[in-house]
């Protein structure tokens, strides 16, 4: 290497083999499934370019400063990894998987460490640190109100199993955690709430603020341990991937918490007859595979099993492999730095739903539902959360008021940038 600073040299040393593995293969299949490439058609936003930059850094041809902004253009959906021939051919036998998501995260972290920050992300993370939850748009965010969504549900604090409610659902889409709580109660699942729930830290980690992310994780794990928690139920795929990947990396053998995504648990309740769905839902629906469930963690059967169990609902499926290229564009901080691209990606997703002649698009990711709903409104397609449908079919849904009086405008102190999270 020539003329490269020590931090970049260490980074290149760590990533050079991965980068050459991609650079030398020369295929272009990853571009076909990348949601960002699908709307920008800009080679600088391709998974290949993300790897080739490492090779160029090693050769001293580009600097971190030259390319850092390009790495904003990734939702961390994992599609390129699943479609990569290096994953497909070596995956089964050698357990190999191309690691574009980790590479993007590593470049973003290196950039932050070198003082190269994206303004929207910095503002978002600073606001999250200030109030311990993300600066959810359109509602005031205060730590004291993180469990207000559960008013009247009579849920205990702590216990062996708790429900972790992500920031968007806790402060804005409160109908979702209420639906989940009602479903779990109807299914006989005993659970409580955290004593003091902070953001999972995943968004900060995705934007490159690793130390900040870890502070959130350390608080949450300590809270779980102090209140006897052994199992955490998540309703948000972003939390699920943070708890099953980031926390494992942070805490190693000290991490002894079972993490369950609610679709897996509810499918089990329905399958075992512990939750009945007697109320018909007259809808023609298709399902949106959240990236972090399908492509990142391989969860695609349980939501389909649930949808097929809802009476009156005609389910027009698009299989989970076809959906490798589908995305809402809300992930990886893209919606904060490039809301225009999030809108374009969501619009493309709704075009695919419209081609099936459905009236409903069902999602299992609360963060995807704002941009998808915006795009759905233009096409007469309603975007519903899977758990809200289940609560309706089980006859246990309620209709709480929106939190914070649904105050319009930015959240918290008004300094939050436009866009979504993680
Ligand atoms: S993770 Fe998704 S958005 Fe990022 S480069 Fe791969 S396919 Fe594109």
């Amino acid at each position: 290497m020539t003329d490269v600073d020590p931090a970049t040299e260490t980074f290149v040393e760590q990533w050079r083999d991965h980068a050459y593995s991609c650079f030398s293969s020369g295929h272009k299949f990853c571009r076909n499934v990348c949601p960002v490439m699908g709307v920008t058609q800009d080679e600088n936003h391709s998974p290949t370019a993300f790897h080739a930059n490492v090779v160029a850094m090693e050769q001293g041809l580009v600097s971190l400063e030259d390319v850092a902004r390009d790495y904003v253009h990734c939702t961390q959906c994992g599609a390129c990894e699943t479609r990569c021939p290096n994953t497909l051919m070596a995956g089964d036998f050698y357990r190999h998987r191309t690691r574009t998501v980790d590479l993007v995260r590593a470049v973003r972290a290196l950039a932050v460490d070198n003082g190269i920050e994206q303004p929207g992300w910095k503002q978002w993370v600073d606001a999250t640190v200030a109030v311990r939850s993300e600066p959810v748009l359109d509602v005031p965010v205060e730590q004291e109100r993180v469990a207000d969504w559960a008013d009247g549900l009579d849920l205990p604090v702590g216990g062996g199993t708790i429900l972790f409610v992500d920031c968007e659902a806790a402060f804005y889409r409160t109908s979702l955690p209420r639906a989940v709580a009602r479903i779990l109660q109807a299914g006989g699942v005993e659970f409580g709430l955290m004593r003091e729930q902070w953001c999972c830290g995943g968004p900060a980690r995705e934007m490159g603020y690793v130390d900040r992310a870890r502070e959130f994780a350390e608080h949450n794990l300590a809270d779980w341990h102090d209140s006897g928690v052994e199992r955490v139920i998540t309703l948000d795929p972003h939390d699920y991937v943070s708890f099953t990947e980031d926390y494992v990396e942070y805490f190693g053998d000290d991490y002894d918490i079972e993490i369950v995504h609610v679709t897996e648990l509810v499918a089990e309740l329905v399958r075992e007859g512990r939750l009945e769905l007697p109320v018909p839902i007259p809808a023609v629906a298709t399902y949106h595979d959240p990236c972090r469930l399908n492509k990142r963690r391989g969860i695609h059967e349980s939501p389909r099993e649930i949808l097929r169990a809802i009476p009156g609902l005609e389910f027009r499926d698009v299989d989970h492999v076809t959906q490798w290229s589908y995305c809402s564009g809300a992930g990886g901080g893209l919606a904060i730095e490039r809301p225009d691209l999030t809108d374009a990606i969501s619009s493309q997703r709704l075009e695919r739903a419209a081609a099936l002649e459905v009236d409903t698009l069902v999602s299992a990711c609360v963060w995807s539902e704002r941009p998808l709903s915006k795009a759905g409104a233009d096409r007469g397609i309603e975007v519903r959360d899977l758990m809200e449908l289940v609560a309706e079919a089980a006859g246990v849904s309620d209709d709480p008021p929106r939190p914070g009086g649904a105050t319009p405008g930015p959240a918290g102190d008004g300094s939050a940038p436009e866009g979504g999270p993680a």
Side-chain angles (χ1 to χ4, degrees):
M1 292 178 66
T2 56
D3 301 327
V4 176
D5 69 87
T8 304
E9 188 171 344
T10 303
F11 162 82
V12 168
E13 187 64 29
Q14 183 186 352
W15 284 99
R16 72 180 299 285
D17 288 353
H18 297 281
Y20 274 99
S21 174
C22 170
F23 187 65
S24 61
S25 65
H27 67 78
K28 300 188 189 303
F29 299 136
C30 53
R31 292 166 176 76
N32 299 338
V33 293
C34 174
V36 178
M37 280 292 290
V39 296
T40 70
Q41 303 297 325
D42 184 333
E43 183 59 29
N44 290 328
H45 307 156
S46 73
T48 315
F50 294 159
H51 287 87
N53 287 337
V54 180
V55 176
M57 280 185 204
E58 186 193 40
Q59 301 296 321
L61 300 174
V62 298
S63 68
L64 176 65
E65 204 161 16
D66 293 331
V67 299
R69 178 70 188 172
D70 290 341
Y71 288 82
V72 164
H73 300 88
C74 174
T75 65
Q76 302 185 18
C77 73
C80 54
E81 298 183 357
T82 54
R83 185 65 187 89
C84 178
N86 291 344
T87 301
L88 293 170
M89 291 177 185
D92 286 348
F93 192 75
Y94 295 108
R95 317 310 296 170
H96 169 84
R97 178 169 170 136
T98 297
R99 294 174 56 200
T100 313
V101 170
D102 285 343
L103 173 60
V104 168
R105 288 153 57 106
V107 174
R108 291 179 179 186
L110 183 68
V112 170
D113 286 348
N114 281 272
I116 306 169
E117 296 179 272
Q118 307 303 328
W121 288 351
K122 177 174 173 17
Q123 201 178 352
W124 189 276
V125 172
D126 285 348
T128 307
V129 169
V131 293
R132 309 293 187 243
S133 292
E134 289 185 272
V136 174
L137 299 181
D138 302 328
V139 288
V141 174
E142 299 160 13
Q143 177 60 36
E144 304 73 47
R145 305 183 63 200
V146 71
D148 279 6
W149 65 267
D151 282 353
L153 291 174
D154 196 25
L155 299 175
V157 172
T161 297
I162 55 134
L163 176 63
F164 188 94
V165 176
D166 74 285
C167 308
E168 172 83 347
F171 292 102
Y172 179 77
R173 186 67 174 269
T174 55
S175 55
L176 173 57
R178 290 185 71 85
V180 170
R182 298 275 193 206
I183 291 165
L184 297 180
Q185 287 173 330
V189 178
E190 290 186 10
F191 67 99
L193 301 176
M194 279 181 72
R195 291 190 315 186
E196 190 183 358
Q197 179 184 298
W198 287 10
C199 173
C200 69
R205 178 66 192 268
E206 290 186 338
M207 297 172 202
Y209 293 82
V210 181
D211 292 343
R212 291 302 198 188
R214 189 162 178 142
E215 287 167 18
F216 285 107
E218 285 174 353
H219 165 86
N220 287 333
L221 184 62
D223 190 287
W224 296 341
H225 281 160
D226 289 348
S227 50
V229 172
E230 295 173 351
R231 181 170 75 148
V232 174
I233 301 169
T234 67
L235 52 84
D236 172 28
H238 296 262
D239 294 336
Y240 183 74
V241 89
S242 293
F243 296 155
T244 56
E245 294 185 3
D246 297 348
Y247 282 37
V248 173
E249 179 195 318
Y250 299 148
F251 305 120
D253 291 342
D254 290 339
Y255 189 53
D256 51 0
I257 308 292
E258 180 189 359
I259 308 296
V260 181
H261 192 266
V262 71
T263 59
E264 299 280 89
L265 181 56
V266 169
E268 188 180 307
L269 294 176
V270 172
R271 197 182 311 132
E272 294 176 353
R274 294 157 62 195
L275 180 71
E276 295 186 355
L277 305 178
V279 181
I281 308 275
V284 181
T286 191
Y287 173 65
H288 174 69
D289 270 304
C291 303
R292 279 150 185 76
L293 284 191
N294 180 17
K295 289 168 274 196
R296 297 279 300 277
R297 302 302 297 163
I299 296 177
H300 49 80
E301 290 176 358
S302 55
R304 290 175 166 78
E305 189 179 344
I306 294 166
L307 280 169
R308 291 195 175 98
I310 296 177
L313 185 141
E314 181 183 335
F315 178 32
R316 298 186 180 171
D317 197 9
V318 174
D319 70 84
H320 74 283
V321 173
T322 300
Q323 290 210 37
W324 284 354
S325 65
Y326 295 11
C327 181
S328 71
L334 186 72
I336 298 167
E337 284 293 335
R338 292 296 308 269
D340 56 325
L341 297 185
T342 297
D343 286 348
I345 293 168
S346 268
S347 181
Q348 200 168 74
R349 175 65 187 95
L350 263 295
E351 267 174 37
R352 287 157 171 167
L356 296 170
E357 299 182 349
V358 296
D359 54 44
T360 305
L361 176 64
V362 181
S363 171
C365 171
V366 64
W367 285 106
S368 77
E369 287 160 22
R370 281 213 226 191
L372 291 177
S373 295
K374 198 167 147 192
D378 297 338
R379 294 171 176 79
I381 296 177
E382 189 181 12
V383 175
R384 305 277 320 263
D385 188 276
L386 178 60
M387 288 302 124
E388 291 175 4
L389 278 186
V390 169
E392 201 175 318
V396 297
S397 63
D398 65 11
D399 187 25
R402 281 176 63 182
T407 309
D413 62 3
S415 63
E418 187 182 349

